[in-house]
């Protein structure tokens, strides 16, 4: 097939070494945490539910249902990084969307979250600190991006985009020191 790992459009030729992991979650009927890059940073499902999504499949997470991998080879400390996800939120609960690191010390994780309170905010948090912007949930998928530039140390230097447009964010001032304890989709890294 032209999509085999070493084919023209395969993982070894599309997702180069700059991509640490890419998760497509299969087809919406069967859930897969397979990493599409050649890095093989596959996720294990903990009862996550497959759903149709914007691209390929997706997963429904409830806090006890998630995808996880221990000790990923992701950027740590204050290294530059970009994380993105297709996101569809419903309900008014505060939830973790996707992230990595650990939950031991402030600044140790890199995590997308949604706060469904009356204000409604979407953002990136590094354990008790982060950047966020107003977000009104709807029935659509949205493409969320957080980029942390090289040479920076403070979470307030994070650039966020939603659906291709830069967002004006409200940010804490805190030095990040991201660990690589685990990566999670649908749960705060432990």
């Amino acid at each position: 097939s032209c999509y085999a790992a070493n084919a023209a459009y395969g993982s070894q030729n599309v997702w180069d070494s700059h991509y640490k992991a890419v998760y497509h979650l299969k087809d919406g009927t069967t859930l897969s945490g397979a990493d599409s890059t050649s890095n093989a940073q596959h996720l294990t499902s903990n009862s996550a539910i497959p759903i149709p999504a914007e691209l390929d499949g997706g997963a429904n997470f409830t806090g006890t249902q998630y995808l996880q991998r221990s000790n990923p080879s992701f950027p740590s400390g204050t290294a530059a990084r970009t994380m993105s996800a297709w996101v569809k939120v419903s309900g008014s609960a505060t939830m973790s969307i996707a992230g990595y690191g650990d939950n031991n010390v402030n600044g140790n994780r890199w995590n997308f979250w949604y706060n469904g309170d009356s204000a409604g905010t979407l953002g990136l948090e590094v354990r008790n600190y982060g950047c966020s912007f107003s977000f009104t949930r709807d029935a659509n998928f949205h493409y969320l991006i957080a980029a942390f530039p090289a040479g920076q140390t403070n979470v307030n230097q994070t650039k966020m985009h939603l659906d291709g447009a830069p967002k004006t964010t409200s940010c804490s001032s805190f030095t990040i020191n991201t660990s690589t304890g685990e990566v999670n989709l649908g749960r705060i890294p432990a």
Side-chain angles (χ1 to χ4, degrees):
S1 146
C2 63
Y3 295 103
N6 61 355
Y9 300 106
S11 62
Q12 294 173 1
N13 294 316
V14 174
W15 307 112
D16 68 19
S17 64
H18 294 95
Y19 291 88
K20 302 306 178 196
V22 175
Y23 303 111
H24 289 113
L25 308 183
K26 193 121 178 176
D27 60 14
T29 336
T30 306
L31 188 61
S32 171
D35 177 6
S36 295
T37 73
S38 60
N39 297 324
Q41 299 205 66
H42 308 301
L43 302 173
T44 301
S45 177
N46 292 283
S47 304
I49 301 165
I51 60 167
E54 192 69 15
L55 301 173
D56 294 329
N60 186 37
F61 304 116
T62 65
T64 58
Q65 298 166 318
Y66 56 94
L67 293 158
Q68 185 266 339
R69 174 187 174 82
S70 296
N71 303 311
S73 296
F74 287 4
S76 60
T78 58
R81 83 276 317 254
T82 299
M83 185 169 76
S84 64
W86 282 97
V87 176
K88 181 179 178 182
V89 296
S90 60
S92 58
T94 295
M95 65 182 83
S96 174
I97 297 166
Y100 71 96
D102 66 48
N103 199 26
N104 297 325
V105 178
N106 290 342
N108 269 21
R109 68 177 177 240
W110 187 257
N111 188 62
F112 283 146
W113 61 272
Y114 170 70
N115 185 347
D117 64 9
S118 60
T121 52
L122 193 58
L124 174 100
E125 58 93 22
V126 297
R127 190 174 184 265
N128 296 324
Y129 298 90
C131 296
S132 63
F133 56 88
S134 295
F135 177 77
T136 304
R137 66 183 179 275
D138 56 28
N140 300 311
F141 280 93
H142 297 277
Y143 190 54
L144 179 61
I145 301 170
F148 189 70
Q152 300 300 319
T153 60
N154 199 303
V155 68
N156 64 15
Q157 298 301 310
T158 303
K159 308 296 183 208
M160 297 197 72
H161 290 75
L162 186 69
D163 299 328
K167 298 303 291 182
T168 300
T169 57
S170 172
C171 292
S172 316
S173 178
F174 196 81
T175 300
I176 68 166
N177 188 22
T178 311
S179 75
T180 56
E182 65 182 30
V183 59
N184 282 309
L185 306 185
R187 179 181 86 157
I188 292 175

